[in-house]
Amino acid sequence: MPEASERRWSRASDGACRTVDSRVFLGPAHEVGAAARERAEAAKAVCAGCRVRVECRRHALAAREPHGVWGGLTEEERRALFTGDPVRSVA
């Protein structure tokens, strides 16, 4: 497993998110409505220009990360990929 850990740290050091407050990607519990949408869009904007976005997304999907924006996908978007259900709004 040391190799997997090394890859994870490599992604973290190369990610556009490394200089952004983690609260942008992992919002407060039970956040809903406009605040949740705005935060998620801000996180996705950071991801959009990230050179390791694909690797980050792959990690999030493989690990089934339950929270936050990873590789430009919200938890709802990742869940929808697995279930085939449409993405629900965070109203």
Side-chain angles (χ1 to χ4, degrees):
M1 283 290 227
E3 186 179 335
S5 177
E6 186 176 318
R7 282 194 307 266
R8 186 176 318 125
W9 284 112
S10 174
R11 270 197 308 274
S13 66
D14 291 340
C17 60
R18 73 187 179 284
T19 60
V20 178
D21 188 327
S22 63
R23 291 177 287 191
V24 172
F25 301 92
L26 300 165
H30 308 296
E31 179 184 53
V32 295
R37 285 189 299 277
E38 289 170 14
R39 184 195 47 75
E41 290 305 316
K44 287 176 158 193
V46 173
C47 295
C50 183
R51 67 184 197 178
V52 294
R53 181 185 67 215
V54 172
E55 293 88 345
C56 181
R57 183 178 293 182
R58 284 182 183 149
H59 161 78
L61 292 168
R64 298 228 176 185
E65 290 288 350
H67 304 290
V69 174
W70 290 78
L73 295 177
T74 65
E75 55 265 27
E76 292 85 8
E77 291 165 334
R78 292 191 305 276
R79 194 174 312 114
L81 289 174
F82 288 112
T83 63
D85 292 338
V87 177
R88 295 179 314 174
S89 173
V90 285

